[in-house]
Protein backbone atom coordinates (compact mmCIF):
# COMPACT_ATOMS: atom_id res chain seq x y z
CA UNK A 1 0.00 0.00 0.00
CA UNK A 2 1.48 3.33 -0.97
CA UNK A 3 2.35 5.89 1.66
CA UNK A 4 0.07 8.41 -0.08
CA UNK A 5 -2.98 6.45 1.03
CA UNK A 6 -2.09 6.15 4.70
CA UNK A 7 -2.49 9.05 7.12
CA UNK A 8 -3.70 10.00 10.58
CA UNK A 9 -6.02 12.75 9.38
CA UNK A 10 -8.58 12.71 6.58
CA UNK A 11 -11.17 15.01 5.10
CA UNK A 12 -14.12 13.95 2.98
CA UNK A 13 -16.95 15.54 1.01
CA UNK A 14 -20.11 14.06 -0.45
CA UNK A 15 -23.58 15.13 -1.63
CA UNK A 16 -26.65 14.30 0.43
CA UNK A 17 -28.02 11.77 -2.05
CA UNK A 18 -28.47 8.12 -1.13
CA UNK A 19 -26.93 6.89 -4.40
CA UNK A 20 -23.53 8.11 -3.23
CA UNK A 21 -23.60 6.22 0.09
CA UNK A 22 -23.16 2.44 0.35
CA UNK A 23 -25.39 2.06 3.39
CA UNK A 24 -28.23 -0.27 4.35
CA UNK A 25 -31.48 0.66 2.61
CA UNK A 26 -33.08 1.69 5.90
CA UNK A 27 -30.20 4.07 6.62
CA UNK A 28 -30.32 5.53 3.11
CA UNK A 29 -33.85 6.78 3.83
CA UNK A 30 -32.27 9.43 6.07
CA UNK A 31 -31.21 11.34 2.94
CA UNK A 32 -34.82 11.75 1.79
CA UNK A 33 -35.17 14.58 4.33
CA UNK A 34 -31.60 15.48 5.22
CA UNK A 35 -32.60 18.71 6.96
CA UNK A 36 -34.75 16.81 9.44
CA UNK A 37 -32.27 13.94 9.72
CA UNK A 38 -29.06 16.00 9.79
CA UNK A 39 -27.93 14.82 13.24
CA UNK A 40 -28.96 11.21 12.52
CA UNK A 41 -26.79 11.21 9.39
CA UNK A 42 -23.87 12.58 11.38
CA UNK A 43 -24.42 9.89 14.06
CA UNK A 44 -24.34 7.12 11.47
CA UNK A 45 -21.05 8.41 10.04
CA UNK A 46 -19.60 8.70 13.55
CA UNK A 47 -20.79 5.20 14.44
CA UNK A 48 -18.97 3.77 11.44
CA UNK A 49 -15.77 5.61 12.38
CA UNK A 50 -16.03 4.28 15.92
CA UNK A 51 -15.74 0.72 14.59
CA UNK A 52 -12.16 1.60 13.62
CA UNK A 53 -11.22 3.03 17.00
CA UNK A 54 -8.81 1.38 19.35
CA UNK A 55 -7.80 2.86 22.73
CA UNK A 56 -7.88 6.51 21.63
CA UNK A 57 -11.17 7.76 20.07
CA UNK A 58 -10.89 9.63 16.78
CA UNK A 59 -11.62 13.33 16.64
CA UNK A 60 -14.44 14.08 14.21
CA UNK A 61 -16.21 17.15 12.89
CA UNK A 62 -19.10 17.30 10.42
CA UNK A 63 -20.99 20.11 8.76
CA UNK A 64 -23.50 20.45 5.93
CA UNK A 65 -22.82 23.10 3.28
CA UNK A 66 -26.11 24.17 1.74
CA UNK A 67 -25.34 27.80 0.93
CA UNK A 68 -22.28 27.48 -1.30
CA UNK A 69 -22.55 29.10 -4.72
CA UNK A 70 -20.87 28.22 -7.99
CA UNK A 71 -19.09 31.25 -9.42
CA UNK A 72 -21.05 33.27 -6.82
CA UNK A 73 -24.19 32.73 -8.91
CA UNK A 74 -26.07 29.46 -8.43
CA UNK A 75 -26.33 27.27 -5.34
CA UNK A 76 -24.41 24.01 -5.48
CA UNK A 77 -25.95 20.76 -4.28
CA UNK A 78 -26.03 20.45 -0.46
CA UNK A 79 -23.16 18.28 0.75
CA UNK A 80 -21.35 17.08 3.86
CA UNK A 81 -17.82 18.06 4.79
CA UNK A 82 -16.11 15.83 7.33
CA UNK A 83 -12.88 15.87 9.33
CA UNK A 84 -11.42 12.72 10.95
CA UNK A 85 -8.26 12.62 13.05
CA UNK A 86 -6.95 9.24 14.29
CA UNK A 87 -4.22 8.66 16.84
CA UNK A 88 -2.32 6.47 14.36
CA UNK A 89 -2.14 6.16 10.59
CA UNK A 90 -4.99 4.44 8.79
CA UNK A 91 -5.57 3.14 5.28
CA UNK A 92 -7.66 5.43 3.09
CA UNK A 93 -9.32 2.60 1.14
CA UNK A 94 -10.29 0.81 4.30
CA UNK A 95 -11.76 4.02 5.73
CA UNK A 96 -13.71 4.59 2.52
CA UNK A 97 -15.19 1.09 2.73
CA UNK A 98 -16.27 1.65 6.34
CA UNK A 99 -17.85 5.03 5.56
CA UNK A 100 -19.61 3.65 2.49
CA UNK A 101 -17.95 6.16 0.15
CA UNK A 102 -15.81 5.80 -2.93
CA UNK A 103 -12.12 6.49 -2.15
CA UNK A 104 -11.94 9.50 -4.49
CA UNK A 105 -14.19 11.46 -2.14
CA UNK A 106 -11.73 11.10 0.75
CA UNK A 107 -8.23 12.52 0.94
CA UNK A 108 -5.49 12.78 3.55
CA UNK A 109 -5.30 16.15 5.27
CA UNK A 110 -2.19 18.29 4.84
CA UNK A 111 0.72 17.22 6.97
CA UNK A 112 1.70 18.87 10.23
CA UNK A 113 -0.09 21.26 12.55
CA UNK A 114 -1.10 23.73 9.87
CA UNK A 115 -2.54 21.00 7.67
CA UNK A 116 -4.92 20.05 10.46
CA UNK A 117 -5.75 23.69 11.21
CA UNK A 118 -6.50 24.42 7.58
CA UNK A 119 -8.68 21.34 7.23
CA UNK A 120 -10.73 22.24 10.29
CA UNK A 121 -10.91 25.88 9.22
CA UNK A 122 -12.34 24.91 5.85
CA UNK A 123 -15.40 23.39 7.53
CA UNK A 124 -16.75 26.93 7.97
CA UNK A 125 -14.63 28.63 5.24
CA UNK A 126 -12.80 30.58 7.93
CA UNK A 127 -9.87 31.30 5.60
CA UNK A 128 -11.94 31.70 2.45
CA UNK A 129 -13.68 35.11 2.52
CA UNK A 130 -14.98 34.65 -1.04
CA UNK A 131 -17.08 31.68 0.12
CA UNK A 132 -20.13 31.58 2.39
CA UNK A 133 -19.14 31.95 6.03
CA UNK A 134 -20.73 29.20 8.14
CA UNK A 135 -21.03 29.45 11.90
CA UNK A 136 -18.89 27.37 14.29
CA UNK A 137 -22.25 26.40 15.86
CA UNK A 138 -23.04 24.45 12.67
CA UNK A 139 -20.16 22.01 13.28
CA UNK A 140 -20.97 18.73 15.05
CA UNK A 141 -18.08 16.98 16.87
CA UNK A 142 -19.94 14.64 19.28
CA UNK A 143 -17.70 15.90 22.09
CA UNK A 144 -14.50 14.54 20.55
CA UNK A 145 -13.06 18.08 20.67
CA UNK A 146 -14.32 21.65 21.16
CA UNK A 147 -14.66 23.28 17.72
CA UNK A 148 -15.69 26.67 19.17
CA UNK A 149 -12.55 26.69 21.31
CA UNK A 150 -10.49 25.82 18.22
CA UNK A 151 -12.10 28.68 16.29
CA UNK A 152 -11.51 31.23 19.08
CA UNK A 153 -7.89 30.13 19.48
CA UNK A 154 -7.15 30.70 15.77
CA UNK A 155 -9.61 33.49 15.02
CA UNK A 156 -6.97 36.23 14.73
CA UNK A 157 -4.99 34.13 12.25
CA UNK A 158 -8.18 33.48 10.28
CA UNK A 159 -8.91 37.20 10.09
CA UNK A 160 -5.37 37.97 8.90
CA UNK A 161 -5.47 35.20 6.30
CA UNK A 162 -8.93 36.26 5.16
CA UNK A 163 -7.69 39.82 4.61
CA UNK A 164 -4.70 38.51 2.66
CA UNK A 165 -6.91 36.36 0.43
CA UNK A 166 -9.28 39.24 -0.21
CA UNK A 167 -6.38 41.51 -1.07
CA UNK A 168 -4.83 38.94 -3.43
CA UNK A 169 -8.17 38.37 -5.10
CA UNK A 170 -8.78 42.09 -5.41
CA UNK A 171 -5.39 42.48 -7.11
CA UNK A 172 -6.49 39.94 -9.72
CA UNK A 173 -9.75 41.83 -10.30
CA UNK A 174 -8.20 45.28 -10.39
CA UNK A 175 -7.53 45.39 -14.14
CA UNK A 176 -11.07 44.32 -15.06
CA UNK A 177 -12.58 46.85 -12.64
CA UNK A 178 -10.30 49.58 -14.01
CA UNK A 179 -11.46 48.75 -17.54
CA UNK A 180 -15.13 48.73 -16.50
CA UNK A 181 -14.75 52.23 -15.03
CA UNK A 182 -13.02 53.55 -18.15
CA UNK A 183 -15.76 51.99 -20.31
CA UNK A 184 -18.42 53.71 -18.22
CA UNK A 185 -20.12 50.49 -17.13
CA UNK A 186 -19.10 50.82 -13.46
CA UNK A 187 -19.81 53.94 -11.43
CA UNK A 188 -18.60 55.12 -8.05
CA UNK A 189 -22.06 54.37 -6.63
CA UNK A 190 -21.76 50.81 -7.97
CA UNK A 191 -18.48 50.38 -6.13
CA UNK A 192 -19.77 51.54 -2.76
CA UNK A 193 -22.91 49.43 -3.14
CA UNK A 194 -20.77 46.27 -3.39
CA UNK A 195 -18.77 45.07 -0.38
CA UNK A 196 -16.05 43.37 -2.45
CA UNK A 197 -15.61 46.35 -4.75
CA UNK A 198 -15.48 48.68 -1.75
CA UNK A 199 -12.69 46.53 -0.32
CA UNK A 200 -10.90 46.68 -3.67
CA UNK A 201 -11.25 50.46 -3.76
CA UNK A 202 -9.90 50.82 -0.21
CA UNK A 203 -6.59 49.22 -1.27
CA UNK A 204 -6.40 50.86 -4.71
CA UNK A 205 -7.84 54.35 -4.30
CA UNK A 206 -5.17 56.10 -6.37
CA UNK A 207 -5.43 53.72 -9.32
CA UNK A 208 -9.25 53.72 -9.38
CA UNK A 209 -9.35 57.50 -9.03
CA UNK A 210 -7.13 57.58 -12.13
CA UNK A 211 -9.70 55.40 -13.90
CA UNK A 212 -12.54 57.77 -13.01
CA UNK A 213 -10.53 60.77 -14.18
CA UNK A 214 -9.75 58.98 -17.43
CA UNK A 215 -13.41 58.13 -17.97
CA UNK A 216 -14.40 61.73 -17.15
CA UNK A 217 -12.08 63.09 -19.83
CA UNK A 218 -13.19 60.48 -22.38
CA UNK A 219 -16.89 61.14 -21.69
CA UNK A 220 -16.47 64.93 -21.81
CA UNK A 221 -14.55 64.77 -25.09
CA UNK A 222 -17.20 62.45 -26.55
CA UNK A 223 -20.00 64.85 -25.55
CA UNK A 224 -18.03 67.74 -27.03
CA UNK A 225 -17.61 65.90 -30.36
CA UNK A 226 -21.34 65.19 -30.45
CA UNK A 227 -22.07 68.84 -29.76
CA UNK A 228 -19.71 70.01 -32.49
CA UNK A 229 -21.21 67.59 -35.01
CA UNK A 230 -24.69 68.91 -34.28
CA UNK A 231 -26.05 65.73 -32.70
CA UNK A 232 -27.65 67.76 -29.92
CA UNK A 233 -28.02 71.19 -28.38
CA UNK A 234 -27.51 71.53 -24.63
CA UNK A 235 -30.51 72.40 -22.51
CA UNK A 236 -29.82 74.86 -19.69
CA UNK A 237 -32.68 75.04 -17.18
CA UNK A 238 -33.21 77.24 -14.12
CA UNK A 239 -35.75 76.22 -11.44
CA UNK A 240 -36.73 78.64 -8.70
CA UNK A 241 -39.29 79.06 -5.96
CA UNK A 242 -39.46 79.59 -2.22
CA UNK A 243 -37.60 77.33 0.21
CA UNK A 244 -39.16 73.90 0.68
CA UNK A 245 -41.56 74.26 -2.23
CA UNK A 246 -40.19 71.27 -4.17
CA UNK A 247 -37.51 72.56 -6.55
CA UNK A 248 -35.12 69.66 -5.98
CA UNK A 249 -37.93 67.14 -6.23
CA UNK A 250 -39.01 68.60 -9.57
CA UNK A 251 -35.42 68.55 -10.87
CA UNK A 252 -34.90 64.92 -9.86
CA UNK A 253 -38.18 63.84 -11.44
CA UNK A 254 -37.16 65.53 -14.69
CA UNK A 255 -33.76 63.82 -14.57
CA UNK A 256 -35.29 60.42 -13.83
CA UNK A 257 -37.44 60.70 -16.96
CA UNK A 258 -34.49 61.94 -19.03
CA UNK A 259 -32.35 58.93 -18.05
CA UNK A 260 -35.26 56.59 -18.73
CA UNK A 261 -35.86 58.06 -22.19
CA UNK A 262 -32.14 58.06 -22.99
CA UNK A 263 -32.02 54.30 -22.38
CA UNK A 264 -34.52 53.90 -25.22
CA UNK A 265 -31.82 55.36 -27.47
CA UNK A 266 -29.19 53.06 -25.90
CA UNK A 267 -27.59 55.95 -24.02
CA UNK A 268 -26.29 55.19 -20.55
CA UNK A 269 -26.42 58.73 -19.19
CA UNK A 270 -25.45 59.52 -15.63
CA UNK A 271 -26.25 62.41 -13.31
CA UNK A 272 -23.74 64.55 -11.47
CA UNK A 273 -25.22 66.23 -8.41
CA UNK A 274 -22.88 68.96 -7.21
CA UNK A 275 -22.41 70.25 -3.70
CA UNK A 276 -22.20 73.91 -2.78
CA UNK A 277 -18.42 73.99 -2.32
CA UNK A 278 -15.81 73.06 -4.95
CA UNK A 279 -18.76 71.86 -6.97
CA UNK A 280 -16.89 70.08 -9.76
CA UNK A 281 -14.18 68.30 -7.80
CA UNK A 282 -15.95 64.95 -8.26
CA UNK A 283 -17.21 65.50 -11.82
CA UNK A 284 -16.33 62.61 -14.14
CA UNK A 285 -17.99 63.39 -17.45
CA UNK A 286 -21.63 62.89 -16.46
CA UNK A 287 -24.06 64.02 -19.19
CA UNK A 288 -26.64 65.45 -16.76
CA UNK A 289 -25.50 68.13 -14.34
CA UNK A 290 -27.59 69.22 -11.35
CA UNK A 291 -26.46 72.24 -9.34
CA UNK A 292 -28.86 72.13 -6.41
CA UNK A 293 -29.11 75.48 -4.63
CA UNK A 294 -25.56 76.72 -5.37
CA UNK A 295 -24.24 80.11 -4.31
CA UNK A 296 -23.53 82.71 -6.97
CA UNK A 297 -19.87 82.59 -5.92
CA UNK A 298 -19.67 78.78 -6.09
CA UNK A 299 -17.98 79.41 -9.43
CA UNK A 300 -15.88 82.27 -10.65
CA UNK A 301 -17.75 84.57 -13.07
CA UNK A 302 -15.66 83.28 -15.97
CA UNK A 303 -16.39 79.67 -14.98
CA UNK A 304 -20.15 80.33 -14.94
CA UNK A 305 -19.88 81.59 -18.51
CA UNK A 306 -17.81 78.60 -19.63
CA UNK A 307 -20.25 76.17 -18.02
CA UNK A 308 -23.39 77.75 -19.48
CA UNK A 309 -22.10 78.52 -22.97
CA UNK A 310 -22.62 75.45 -25.21
CA UNK A 311 -20.15 76.79 -27.78
CA UNK A 312 -17.41 77.58 -25.29
CA UNK A 313 -14.94 74.71 -25.33
CA UNK A 314 -12.71 76.11 -22.59
CA UNK A 315 -11.91 74.15 -19.47
CA UNK A 316 -12.94 75.42 -16.08
CA UNK A 317 -10.26 77.16 -14.05
CA UNK A 318 -7.39 75.45 -12.26
CA UNK A 319 -9.58 75.52 -9.16
CA UNK A 320 -11.16 72.40 -10.70
CA UNK A 321 -7.96 70.94 -12.15
CA UNK A 322 -8.79 72.41 -15.56
CA UNK A 323 -11.74 70.08 -16.07
CA UNK A 324 -13.80 70.07 -19.23
CA UNK A 325 -17.36 70.18 -17.85
CA UNK A 326 -19.90 69.80 -20.61
CA UNK A 327 -23.36 68.32 -20.13
CA UNK A 328 -26.26 67.64 -22.41
CA UNK A 329 -28.48 69.22 -19.80
CA UNK A 330 -27.65 71.52 -16.91
CA UNK A 331 -30.27 72.17 -14.23
CA UNK A 332 -29.80 74.81 -11.56
CA UNK A 333 -32.18 75.19 -8.62
CA UNK A 334 -32.33 78.20 -6.32
CA UNK A 335 -34.77 80.17 -4.21
CA UNK A 336 -33.79 83.37 -6.01
CA UNK A 337 -35.05 84.33 -9.44
CA UNK A 338 -32.65 84.01 -12.38
CA UNK A 339 -32.04 87.78 -12.46
CA UNK A 340 -31.56 88.00 -8.69
CA UNK A 341 -29.13 85.06 -8.61
CA UNK A 342 -26.74 86.29 -11.29
CA UNK A 343 -27.38 89.91 -10.37
CA UNK A 344 -25.27 89.22 -7.27
CA UNK A 345 -22.17 88.98 -9.45
CA UNK A 346 -20.68 92.45 -9.39
CA UNK A 347 -19.13 94.31 -12.28
CA UNK A 348 -20.53 91.84 -14.82
CA UNK A 349 -23.10 92.26 -17.58
CA UNK A 350 -26.21 90.37 -16.42
CA UNK A 351 -27.27 89.73 -20.02
CA UNK A 352 -24.35 87.41 -20.70
CA UNK A 353 -25.63 85.04 -18.02
CA UNK A 354 -29.38 85.20 -18.70
CA UNK A 355 -29.09 84.68 -22.46
CA UNK A 356 -27.31 81.35 -21.91
CA UNK A 357 -30.41 79.79 -20.35
CA UNK A 358 -33.13 78.15 -22.43
CA UNK A 359 -35.96 77.87 -19.93
CA UNK A 360 -36.97 78.97 -16.46
CA UNK A 361 -39.30 76.85 -14.33
CA UNK A 362 -41.03 78.53 -11.41
CA UNK A 363 -42.97 76.84 -8.62
CA UNK A 364 -45.40 78.95 -6.59
CA UNK A 365 -48.17 78.35 -4.09
CA UNK A 366 -51.74 78.50 -5.31
CA UNK A 367 -53.02 78.98 -1.80
CA UNK A 368 -50.88 80.49 0.94
CA UNK A 369 -52.76 78.40 3.54
CA UNK A 370 -52.01 75.10 1.83
CA UNK A 371 -48.59 73.49 1.59
CA UNK A 372 -49.76 70.96 -1.01
CA UNK A 373 -51.18 73.20 -3.74
CA UNK A 374 -48.56 74.21 -6.25
CA UNK A 375 -48.61 76.11 -9.50
CA UNK A 376 -45.99 75.49 -12.18
CA UNK A 377 -44.85 78.07 -14.72
CA UNK A 378 -42.60 77.56 -17.75
CA UNK A 379 -40.82 80.44 -19.46
CA UNK A 380 -38.48 80.74 -22.40
CA UNK A 381 -35.57 83.15 -22.48
CA UNK A 382 -36.16 85.66 -25.27
CA UNK A 383 -34.39 88.69 -26.56
CA UNK A 384 -36.42 91.75 -25.53
CA UNK A 385 -37.73 94.19 -28.10
CA UNK A 386 -36.71 97.04 -25.83
CA UNK A 387 -34.03 97.17 -23.17
CA UNK A 388 -35.31 97.12 -19.57
CA UNK A 389 -33.58 98.64 -16.59
CA UNK A 390 -32.74 96.28 -13.76
CA UNK A 391 -32.25 97.85 -10.33
CA UNK A 392 -31.37 101.08 -12.08
CA UNK A 393 -27.96 99.71 -13.02
CA UNK A 394 -28.26 97.28 -15.94
CA UNK A 395 -30.07 97.38 -19.24
CA UNK A 396 -31.61 93.95 -19.73
CA UNK A 397 -31.70 92.77 -23.32
CA UNK A 398 -33.02 89.28 -22.45
CA UNK A 399 -35.99 88.23 -20.35
CA UNK A 400 -38.46 85.47 -19.53
CA UNK A 401 -41.57 84.89 -21.63
CA UNK A 402 -44.17 82.60 -20.07
CA UNK A 403 -45.26 79.83 -22.43
CA UNK A 404 -47.07 77.29 -20.22
CA UNK A 405 -48.72 77.10 -16.79
CA UNK A 406 -50.58 74.40 -14.90
CA UNK A 407 -51.26 73.03 -11.43
CA UNK A 408 -50.79 69.46 -12.67
CA UNK A 409 -47.21 68.48 -11.88
CA UNK A 410 -47.17 65.35 -14.02
CA UNK A 411 -48.57 67.23 -17.03
CA UNK A 412 -46.05 70.01 -16.45
CA UNK A 413 -43.10 67.59 -16.39
CA UNK A 414 -44.29 65.84 -19.55
CA UNK A 415 -44.77 69.18 -21.35
CA UNK A 416 -41.33 70.49 -20.39
CA UNK A 417 -39.65 67.27 -21.45
CA UNK A 418 -41.48 66.61 -24.70
CA UNK A 419 -41.40 70.12 -26.10
CA UNK A 420 -38.39 71.88 -24.58
CA UNK A 421 -35.80 69.38 -23.36
CA UNK A 422 -35.96 66.23 -25.48
CA UNK A 423 -35.94 68.11 -28.81
CA UNK A 424 -32.59 69.64 -27.81
CA UNK A 425 -30.80 66.72 -26.22
CA UNK A 426 -32.25 63.71 -28.09
CA UNK A 427 -32.72 63.14 -31.82
CA UNK A 428 -36.06 62.74 -33.62
CA UNK A 429 -38.28 64.07 -30.86
CA UNK A 430 -41.13 66.56 -31.04
CA UNK A 431 -40.55 70.26 -31.47
CA UNK A 432 -42.28 72.95 -29.42
CA UNK A 433 -45.94 73.56 -30.34
CA UNK A 434 -46.73 76.72 -32.22
CA UNK A 435 -49.35 77.91 -29.77
CA UNK A 436 -49.34 77.41 -26.04
Amino acid sequence: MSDRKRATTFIFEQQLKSDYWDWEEEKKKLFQDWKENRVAIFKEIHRRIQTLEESIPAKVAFIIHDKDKKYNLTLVEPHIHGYIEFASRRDLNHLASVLGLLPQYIEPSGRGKYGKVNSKAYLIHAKNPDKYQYSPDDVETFGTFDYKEFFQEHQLDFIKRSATVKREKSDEELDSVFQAIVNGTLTEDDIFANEELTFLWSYNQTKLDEAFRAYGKIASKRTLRQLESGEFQPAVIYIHGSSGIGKTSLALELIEQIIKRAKEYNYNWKMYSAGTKNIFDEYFGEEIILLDDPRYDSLLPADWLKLLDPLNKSHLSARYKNKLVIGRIIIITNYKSLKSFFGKIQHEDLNQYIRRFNNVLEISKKNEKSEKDRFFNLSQIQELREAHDYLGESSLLFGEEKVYSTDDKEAFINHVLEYYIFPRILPETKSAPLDQ
Side-chain angles (χ1 to χ4, degrees):
M1 193 68 62
S2 67
D3 185 66
R4 183 182 64 83
K5 292 190 175 182
R6 292 182 62 80
T8 59
T9 307
F10 299 88
I11 54 177
F12 69 86
E13 175 185 347
Q14 188 52 276
Q15 293 184 23
L16 294 159
K17 294 180 179 179
S18 60
D19 291 345
Y20 294 112
W21 300 81
D22 186 14
W23 289 3
E24 299 86 350
E25 290 301 318
E26 191 63 27
K27 295 292 185 181
K28 284 187 175 184
K29 291 180 181 179
L30 294 172
F31 295 106
Q32 294 176 2
D33 187 357
W34 62 263
K35 290 184 179 179
E36 181 68 25
N37 299 321
R38 168 181 167 275
V39 175
I41 292 171
F42 290 163
K43 283 183 177 179
E44 175 61 18
I45 297 173
H46 187 218
R47 183 190 69 78
R48 289 168 175 264
I49 294 171
Q50 285 177 315
T51 64
L52 296 172
E53 292 176 357
E54 296 176 351
S55 58
I56 303 176
K59 296 178 182 179
V60 299
F62 311 120
I63 188 172
I64 290 177
H65 284 192
D66 60 343
K67 298 179 178 64
D68 295 358
K69 288 187 176 181
K70 187 177 183 180
Y71 306 121
N72 288 323
L73 296 173
T74 57
L75 286 170
V76 302
E77 289 288 342
H79 52 280
I80 291 177
H81 279 277
Y83 172 87
I84 309 170
E85 183 182 336
F86 295 106
S88 58
R89 298 202 315 168
R90 302 300 175 96
D91 180 72
L92 185 150
N93 288 327
H94 186 205
L95 174 62
S97 176
V98 170
L99 292 178
L101 294 174
L102 292 175
Q104 58 261 40
Y105 297 111
I106 305 173
E107 62 180 279
S109 173
R111 294 182 178 181
K113 173 184 176 181
Y114 290 105
K116 294 179 181 180
V117 169
N118 290 339
S119 296
K120 286 185 277 190
Y122 192 79
L123 294 173
I124 60 173
H125 295 152
K127 290 187 174 184
N128 302 84
D130 55 329
K131 298 180 181 292
Y132 183 84
Q133 299 295 293
Y134 293 92
S135 168
D137 293 330
D138 296 332
V139 179
E140 177 60 69
T141 65
F142 294 105
T144 58
F145 74 100
D146 191 330
Y147 190 84
K148 289 183 182 179
E149 182 179 297
F150 158 79
F151 176 76
Q152 291 170 358
E153 179 184 352
H154 296 278
Q155 188 172 15
L156 183 58
D157 289 336
F158 293 160
I159 292 173
K160 290 179 180 178
R161 177 57 186 164
S162 179
T164 300
V165 170
K166 287 179 71 175
R167 188 164 58 251
E168 290 173 349
K169 184 181 178 183
S170 69
D171 289 342
E172 295 173 1
E173 296 177 346
L174 183 58
D175 287 341
S176 61
V177 171
F178 187 97
Q179 192 62 48
I181 293 171
V182 172
N183 291 338
T185 57
L186 190 67
T187 68
E188 195 174 68
D189 288 341
D190 294 333
I191 287 177
F192 290 112
N194 182 292
E195 184 176 343
E196 290 186 7
L197 291 179
T198 301
F199 183 87
L200 174 69
W201 173 86
S202 68
Y203 277 93
N204 301 277
Q205 293 182 43
T206 300
K207 187 172 179 64
L208 294 188
D209 284 348
E210 289 175 359
F212 281 118
R213 285 195 295 272
Y215 172 75
K217 191 164 187 177
I218 293 169
S220 295
K221 290 290 187 181
R222 179 174 59 242
T223 303
L224 179 57
R225 288 195 305 272
Q226 293 167 345
L227 171 62
E228 292 175 329
S229 65
E231 291 185 33
F232 76 96
Q233 293 177 297
V236 185
I237 308 295
Y238 190 86
I239 302 176
H240 71 103
S242 58
S243 297
I245 204 167
K247 301 181 294 296
T248 302
S249 175
L250 176 61
L252 292 175
E253 288 181 58
L254 286 168
I255 291 170
E256 181 182 5
Q257 293 303 315
I258 291 169
I259 292 175
K260 182 178 179 182
R261 177 68 66 88
K263 289 185 183 299
E264 297 175 9
Y265 290 83
N266 295 319
Y267 292 138
N268 184 28
W269 290 352
K270 301 176 181 64
M271 178 190 74
Y272 177 71
S273 181
T276 57
K277 185 178 181 181
N278 297 334
I279 59 178
F280 286 112
D281 278 356
E282 301 300 320
Y283 176 78
F284 296 119
E286 290 84 352
E287 296 82 1
I288 304 169
I289 298 171
L290 172 62
L291 305 186
D292 191 22
D293 200 25
R295 290 172 51 88
Y296 74 93
D297 57 0
S298 296
L299 289 174
L300 299 173
D303 284 338
W304 276 118
L305 296 176
K306 292 173 185 176
L307 174 67
L308 301 174
D309 188 347
L311 300 178
N312 192 327
K313 305 179 184 65
S314 301
H315 291 63
L316 296 189
S317 64
R319 179 178 178 182
Y320 300 103
K321 303 179 180 68
N322 289 314
K323 285 188 176 182
L324 177 61
V325 179
I326 179 167
R328 283 187 177 244
I329 180 166
I330 299 170
I331 300 178
I332 300 174
T333 71
N334 201 266
Y335 70 95
K336 293 180 178 291
S337 69
L338 180 59
K339 290 185 292 187
S340 297
F341 181 83
F342 285 102
K344 285 281 189 180
I345 301 177
Q346 297 181 1
H347 312 301
E348 293 286 335
D349 180 6
L350 185 55
N351 290 290
Q352 63 181 339
Y353 298 100
I354 294 178
R355 70 178 180 83
R356 285 170 165 80
F357 283 83
N358 302 113
N359 297 99
V360 175
L361 282 52
E362 180 184 9
I363 311 175
S364 58
K365 294 180 181 179
K366 290 174 60 178
N367 185 339
E368 289 295 330
K369 295 182 180 180
S370 173
E371 291 295 326
K372 296 182 179 180
D373 295 336
R374 298 289 185 266
F375 204 78
F376 303 91
N377 295 299
L378 168 67
S379 297
Q380 277 188 307
I381 298 299
Q382 301 281 7
E383 186 172 0
L384 301 175
R385 295 179 181 178
E386 295 181 1
H388 293 179
D389 288 339
Y390 178 67
L391 299 180
E393 297 180 2
S394 302
S395 293
L396 288 182
L397 304 176
F398 295 87
E400 301 170 23
E401 179 183 344
K402 288 187 178 180
V403 292
Y404 182 72
S405 298
T406 182
D407 61 356
D408 186 331
K409 185 179 184 181
E410 183 177 351
F412 182 75
I413 289 174
N414 289 336
H415 191 89
V416 171
L417 290 171
E418 296 296 337
Y419 297 123
Y420 294 93
I421 293 180
F422 288 153
R424 298 185 67 87
I425 66 175
L426 286 169
E428 300 177 4
T429 52
K430 299 177 184 178
S431 58
L434 295 176
D435 53 347
Q436 302 293 329

